[in-house]
Amino acid sequence: QEGMPQTPSSTSMFTPCGFSPHLHNSKEDEQGGLIFQDGNLTSASLDALIQHLIPTTDYYPEKAYIFTFLLSSRLFIEPHELLSRVCHKCIEQQRLDDPVLDKARIRKFGPKILQLLTEWTETFPYDFQEERMIGHLKDMIHRIAPCDEAYWKKMNQLLQTLNQKLATLSHGQEGIVKISAAVSDKLVAFKSKPPSIQREILSVCSDPYTLAQQLTHVELERLSHIGPEEFVQAFVHKDPLDGTKTCFSEQKKTGNLEAYVKWFNRLCYLVATEICMPAKKKQRAQVIEFFIDVARECFNIGNFNSLMAIISGMNMSPVSRLKKTWSKVKTAKFFILEHQMDPTGNFYNYRTALRGAAHRSLTAHSNREKIVIPFFSLLIKDIYFLNEGCANRLPNGHVNFEKFLELAKQVGEFITWKQVECPFEQDPNIIHYLHTAPIFTEDGLYLASYESESPENQTEKDRWKSLR
């Protein structure tokens, strides 16, 4: 990484700040087809936005702009097409086709275009899984390299770093795929109680704090694979100016995001399975209390996704109907946690806690204090509503840039969080158990639940009968 322009991983990179401070605060101000309001870019034609991305000898776009535009542009134009247009415009503007190149000029331009390409590969590496993208990169370098040998070196470093990153990411994806395949082939639909050789969570890990740490490992590992663009690609619709084809005619490249949601569901079911499995009421109560403690540790760590999965598992009706079991549990702690994750007021309590964790993360001195793992389904829902609630284009055909600034703010914050290195030591044994322990289907859960505490009313009796 030596000698390369570094991209700071601080939030500042992603938080849109006033774009053109030199603009006086007029109501609206137009500059090269870009519309500003109070110094912030609010809308523009797609062409003007692309032009605003392109560095020249004396201009380089702001970090926040680069991130916002690269994130949202894919709703209008595919990344390879965008890069192609950027390269063509650079060739034109810097006269890179001339038989004799203006070396002095290109030496001013070269570092800037390299910096832009570096930021693109660092923030959206998945875009470069496409041959065409790498082709454009190499073409650009071939044109400017004759003016400065150092450009070759920088280019090679850029490609090396990119390859390493993509290798790590795809290796992680393969690992996740292997695990999910192994799990889905196996045992998932226990009809009756599993044989007693089945290990249970307490024999693998009896310390709530340790389990909360290992869950945090799994969360951060899975989060690290999600590309920021997946949030946008999940909601790609047809672009009205494009008429027929959606931007991403191929599959919607959101695999990592979907795998992460599956993990959440697995954890819910694992918690419910562990509670419904033991034959004795006292043991079931012990498992419930254990998970309450794990959930509380998750809350303290800032791991809200595992926390929510554990609470959801405990609230599944096969678990919540076990009244005799619950009567043995000290429930005060559980109610406090439930209150934290209460959906009332659009999850007001949770959002307050999340803001607290985010604030702590910004001022943190250690990785331990930096951890913020948001309740993921709610993050996706927020982004979905932001996307549905505002048009991508204004009636005059301009791109609604204000909307994308808000989108970039939400996704940018998430990127900052997913980059945290997990500070806890990994326990492969516990992590393996979390990924591979057999879980009941919903029917299996009900069966186990009725066998533990017999049906109370006619509805439950009928259900039990049909399950058996």
Side-chain angles (χ1 to χ4, degrees), residues 263-280:
W263 150 253
F264 178 90
N265 294 335
R266 172 172 169 80
L267 184 53
C268 293
Y269 273 84
L270 181 64
V271 168
T273 300
E274 296 284 347
I275 295 171
C276 291
M277 232 170 17
K280 293 193 168 61

Side-chain angles (χ1 to χ4, degrees), residues 296-400:
R296 194 170 60 169
E297 293 303 344
C298 286
F299 180 82
N300 294 338
I301 289 173
N303 176 356
F304 297 105
N305 203 50
S306 292
L307 164 66
M308 196 58 172
I310 293 170
I311 291 175
S312 306
M314 290 179 158
N315 279 326
M316 287 176 80
S317 44
V319 177
S320 60
R321 67 169 289 280
L322 298 171
K323 304 215 171 38
K324 297 185 178 107
T325 304
W326 280 94
S327 71
K328 295 253 174 287
V329 173
K330 301 184 196 65
T331 47
K333 283 191 292 196
F334 179 62
F335 293 140
I336 291 170
L337 286 172
E338 240 190 346
H339 178 66
Q340 280 298 345
M341 300 312 261
D342 180 13
T344 322
N346 192 9
F347 287 90
Y348 179 80
N349 297 346
Y350 157 69
R351 289 180 192 278
T352 308
L354 180 70
R355 272 199 303 276
H359 183 72
R360 176 194 70 194
S361 176
L362 282 177
T363 56
H365 297 299
S366 67
N367 275 349
R368 170 74 189 70
E369 297 167 309
K370 274 190 195 141
I371 298 171
V372 184
I373 300 169
F375 169 30
F376 195 65
S377 316
L378 191 61
L379 176 67
I380 291 182
K381 203 166 123 186
D382 286 348
I383 289 175
Y384 175 78
F385 281 119
L386 168 65
N387 192 55
E388 289 293 300
C390 313
N392 289 339
R393 295 216 190 233
L394 302 172
N396 65 0
H398 270 194
V399 170
N400 180 2

Side-chain angles (χ1 to χ4, degrees), residues 164-290:
Q164 280 168 340
K165 201 160 185 178
L166 286 173
T168 316
L169 291 168
S170 73
H171 173 71
Q173 281 174 308
E174 280 159 30
I176 286 174
V177 172
K178 274 200 199 96
I179 284 174
S180 341
V183 169
S184 56
D185 296 344
K186 230 178 27 205
L187 300 161
V188 178
F190 282 133
K191 267 301 189 217
S192 59
K193 282 232 167 150
S196 55
I197 49 166
Q198 160 79 24
R199 286 199 305 173
E200 79 285 293
I201 189 80
L202 285 166
S203 68
V204 182
C205 174
S206 56
D207 173 41
Y209 189 58
T210 306
L211 187 60
Q213 291 185 342
Q214 298 309 306
L215 284 167
T216 304
H217 249 294
V218 175
E219 298 279 354
L220 284 170
E221 156 70 20
R222 287 177 166 251
L223 277 183
S224 70
H225 300 297
I226 298 173
E229 70 284 355
E230 293 191 42
F231 289 102
V232 174
Q233 280 156 200
F235 307 124
V236 168
H237 293 309
K238 287 195 180 75
D239 182 23
L241 291 192
D242 215 14
T244 50
K245 65 180 178 70
T246 64
C247 254
F248 280 83
S249 34
E250 28 346 345
Q251 91 292 13
K252 275 196 190 164
K253 308 180 182 157
T254 51
N256 301 299
L257 196 135
E258 286 158 31
Y260 189 52
V261 174
K262 275 193 186 130
W263 150 253
F264 178 90
N265 294 335
R266 172 172 169 80
L267 184 53
C268 293
Y269 273 84
L270 181 64
V271 168
T273 300
E274 296 284 347
I275 295 171
C276 291
M277 232 170 17
K280 293 193 168 61
K281 183 167 60 194
K282 191 175 151 195
Q283 282 170 308
R284 289 194 300 274
Q286 192 188 353
V287 177
I288 290 178
E289 291 196 330
F290 172 71

Side-chain angles (χ1 to χ4, degrees), residues 56-272:
T56 62
T57 48
D58 50 12
Y59 163 75
Y60 189 76
E62 291 183 24
K63 263 193 169 2
Y65 177 75
I66 296 172
F67 177 67
T68 305
F69 185 59
L70 290 180
L71 178 70
S72 54
S73 59
R74 58 201 66 240
L75 288 168
F76 308 101
I77 178 173
E78 292 195 39
H80 72 87
E81 215 177 307
L82 175 62
L83 185 53
S84 160
R85 283 176 66 175
V86 167
C87 292
H88 281 305
K89 287 206 158 147
C90 287
I91 292 166
E92 220 171 88
Q93 288 167 11
Q94 304 304 323
R95 299 202 284 279
L96 297 177
D97 267 343
D98 288 6
V100 180
L101 295 174
D102 177 347
K103 290 196 174 183
R105 176 182 177 147
I106 289 170
R107 281 201 192 99
K108 280 185 179 164
F109 166 72
K112 295 202 172 81
I113 187 69
L114 276 167
Q115 169 71 16
L116 180 70
L117 296 172
T118 302
E119 285 188 45
W120 195 334
T121 54
E122 284 181 352
T123 319
F124 299 94
Y126 289 124
D127 284 353
F128 293 85
Q129 281 172 318
E130 243 199 271
E131 284 300 308
R132 288 180 282 192
M133 293 290 282
I134 302 290
H136 296 315
L137 273 186
K138 289 183 171 164
D139 176 57
M140 197 54 179
I141 296 303
H142 279 284
R143 290 169 184 276
I144 63 173
C147 299
D148 192 333
E149 278 299 298
Y151 295 163
W152 287 119
K153 198 177 156 203
K154 286 199 171 154
M155 175 67 179
N156 281 328
Q157 277 173 324
L158 183 150
L159 286 173
Q160 225 177 332
T161 311
L162 177 64
N163 281 331
Q164 280 168 340
K165 201 160 185 178
L166 286 173
T168 316
L169 291 168
S170 73
H171 173 71
Q173 281 174 308
E174 280 159 30
I176 286 174
V177 172
K178 274 200 199 96
I179 284 174
S180 341
V183 169
S184 56
D185 296 344
K186 230 178 27 205
L187 300 161
V188 178
F190 282 133
K191 267 301 189 217
S192 59
K193 282 232 167 150
S196 55
I197 49 166
Q198 160 79 24
R199 286 199 305 173
E200 79 285 293
I201 189 80
L202 285 166
S203 68
V204 182
C205 174
S206 56
D207 173 41
Y209 189 58
T210 306
L211 187 60
Q213 291 185 342
Q214 298 309 306
L215 284 167
T216 304
H217 249 294
V218 175
E219 298 279 354
L220 284 170
E221 156 70 20
R222 287 177 166 251
L223 277 183
S224 70
H225 300 297
I226 298 173
E229 70 284 355
E230 293 191 42
F231 289 102
V232 174
Q233 280 156 200
F235 307 124
V236 168
H237 293 309
K238 287 195 180 75
D239 182 23
L241 291 192
D242 215 14
T244 50
K245 65 180 178 70
T246 64
C247 254
F248 280 83
S249 34
E250 28 346 345
Q251 91 292 13
K252 275 196 190 164
K253 308 180 182 157
T254 51
N256 301 299
L257 196 135
E258 286 158 31
Y260 189 52
V261 174
K262 275 193 186 130
W263 150 253
F264 178 90
N265 294 335
R266 172 172 169 80
L267 184 53
C268 293
Y269 273 84
L270 181 64
V271 168

